[in-house]
Amino acid sequence: MKRLLERIDREILASGGKRSRSRAAVIEGFFRARDHVTIEDLTRSVRENAPGIGAVTVYRTLKLLERLGYAKELDFGEGARRYESNLSPHHDHLVCRQCGTVIEFEDRKIENLQDLVTRRHGFHPTAHRLEIYGFCRKCASDNSPERVR
Amino acid sequence: MKRLLERIDREILASGGKRSRSRAAVIEGFFRARDHVTIEDLTRSVRENAPGIGAVTVYRTLKLLERLGYAKELDFGEGARRYESNLSPHHDHLVCRQCGTVIEFEDRKIENLQDLVTRRHGFHPTAHRLEIYGFCRKCASDNSPERVR
DNA sequence: ATTATTATGATAATGAATTTCATAATCAGA
DNA sequence: TCTGATTATGAAATTCATTATCATAATAAT
């Protein structure tokens, strides 16, 4: 974690940016937070250690992390964006509509088939998003007919 | 087309709604428009034949069509939603970041693999979205190194 | 026709994200 | 360590898509 933060600091400097206390607090908060946070979530948790951080700074810092390749924007159609760290390898998401749980999965076969599709259409892919919405195991059983009744 | 519009009218009536001129104009406009329209696009084109239609009515009518199962909301991350008719079978999208062209594709194998993934996690899917972003054949060749130069 | 209900559309409200701008923090060079 | 130049901050204002409000209009049922 320490090494990561130092590396990011160096990259920011190298690209003409500055290391500020607020920015450092947001960056560290982001990597400590659970994945798929909203700006609101993150702002709240960062403020526990560094009160007075403006939400605008959180927005800006996450954009910065995205530009540097450390964060990815997510959109589960909730109206507000979420962010996840880009350290783990690529994956897609199962999103529970009831409890909001997000399960990550990675499926090489699906990725390969996607490549085939794009090639078939002469399309040059740069990114993709695959999200499956529904109910997680727990919520599905909570909702099952014999329970709902 | 006529039969479709009549069928929708009947369903609206059956569900306690009314057939109004504005609403009819929006519905017909929607099915005549190209797919993946934005509200703005559609409002403009509907107004050519029926001036004075409020954008609010377009919003409301598309929500209605979605509820009845005739329209699907899309979100390509552009800030504004798009809608497509839900008459053709399920498909996913290739979205060109340069010219905005949208290519539809359907891949049974991908769908099957998605089912496997959800089952593996005890997840009950209700919907999914798969979008591949990049450059279409034309834009990719426009951008290619030997051309950009 | 009359009445009750639903739809419309102008306007206001909402809410996430971005811009603005004066001030503050940080970096580089002496 | 100071100084000047540059970048970052954060409060407030702005933007933009979408939704809510509400008085009026259109439609359906009686």
Side-chain angles (χ1 to χ4, degrees):
Chain A
M1 170 65 110
K2 190 149 168 292
R3 302 182 66 79
L4 171 65
L5 299 181
E6 285 169 359
R7 181 151 77 105
I8 294 176
D9 264 0
R10 261 181 277 121
E11 287 187 29
I12 291 175
L13 274 198
S15 67
K18 294 179 178 176
R19 37 152 67 95
S20 81
R21 297 174 162 291
S22 304
R23 184 176 278 174
V26 175
I27 295 177
E28 181 165 355
F30 174 63
F31 287 110
R32 285 196 191 289
R34 70 177 197 293
D35 246 359
H36 322 117
V37 285
T38 61
I39 295 285
E40 200 187 347
D41 291 343
L42 185 54
T43 302
R44 195 171 15 247
S45 79
V46 166
R47 279 180 178 159
E48 287 175 12
N49 298 315
I53 298 283
V56 185
T57 298
V58 182
Y59 274 102
R60 279 191 284 227
T61 303
L62 286 182
K63 282 283 181 204
L64 173 64
L65 286 178
E66 201 205 7
R67 244 178 289 128
L68 295 177
Y70 290 101
K72 277 179 83 167
E73 274 186 21
L74 303 175
D75 175 4
F76 296 155
E78 305 162 297
R81 280 189 208 124
R82 291 179 179 272
Y83 284 88
E84 69 180 4
S85 93
N86 201 9
L87 299 177
S88 46
H90 170 75
H91 56 259
D92 295 306
H93 299 98
L94 303 176
V95 182
C96 178
R97 292 197 136 122
Q98 179 135 344
C99 66
T101 296
V102 177
I103 302 171
E104 302 183 347
F105 70 92
E106 196 273 336
D107 191 314
R108 210 80 273 293
K109 286 189 203 152
I110 292 181
E111 308 277 327
N112 291 339
L113 287 170
Q114 288 178 13
D115 280 349
L116 277 183
V117 167
T118 56
R119 212 166 300 148
R120 202 180 304 141
H121 289 89
F123 194 88
H124 292 225
T126 57
H128 76 261
R129 50 184 296 178
L130 168 56
E131 288 133 24
I132 302 177
Y133 299 92
F135 299 98
C136 68
R137 195 193 309 269
K138 185 173 173 313
C139 291
S141 65
D142 287 354
N143 292 338
S144 66
E146 68 272 18
R147 287 252 199 159
V148 168
R149 178 154 313 249
Chain B
M1 169 66 109
K2 189 149 170 291
R3 302 181 66 80
L4 171 64
L5 298 180
E6 285 169 359
R7 181 152 75 106
I8 295 176
D9 263 359
R10 260 182 277 121
E11 288 187 26
I12 291 175
L13 272 199
S15 67
K18 294 179 179 176
R19 38 152 68 96
S20 80
R21 297 174 164 289
S22 305
R23 185 175 276 174
V26 175
I27 295 177
E28 180 164 355
F30 173 64
F31 287 110
R32 285 196 191 289
R34 71 177 196 294
D35 246 359
H36 322 116
V37 285
T38 61
I39 294 285
E40 201 188 346
D41 292 342
L42 183 56
T43 302
R44 195 171 15 246
S45 78
V46 166
R47 278 180 179 160
E48 286 175 14
N49 299 315
I53 298 284
V56 183
T57 298
V58 182
Y59 274 101
R60 279 190 286 226
T61 304
L62 286 181
K63 283 281 181 203
L64 173 64
L65 286 178
E66 201 206 7
R67 243 178 291 129
L68 295 177
Y70 290 101
K72 277 179 82 168
E73 274 187 19
L74 303 175
D75 175 3
F76 296 154
E78 305 161 297
R81 281 190 210 125
R82 291 178 180 273
Y83 284 88
E84 69 180 5
S85 93
N86 202 9
L87 300 176
S88 48
H90 169 74
H91 56 259
D92 296 305
H93 299 99
L94 302 175
V95 182
C96 178
R97 291 198 136 122
Q98 179 135 343
C99 66
T101 296
V102 177
I103 301 170
E104 303 183 346
F105 70 92
E106 196 273 336
D107 192 314
R108 210 80 273 296
K109 286 190 204 151
I110 292 182
E111 308 277 328
N112 290 340
L113 286 170
Q114 287 179 13
D115 280 349
L116 276 183
V117 167
T118 56
R119 211 166 302 148
R120 201 179 304 141
H121 289 90
F123 195 89
H124 293 226
T126 57
H128 77 261
R129 52 184 294 181
L130 168 56
E131 289 133 22
I132 303 178
Y133 298 92
F135 298 98
C136 68
R137 196 192 311 269
K138 184 172 175 315
C139 292
S141 65
D142 287 354
N143 291 338
S144 67
E146 67 273 20
R147 288 252 199 163
V148 168
R149 175 145 320 244

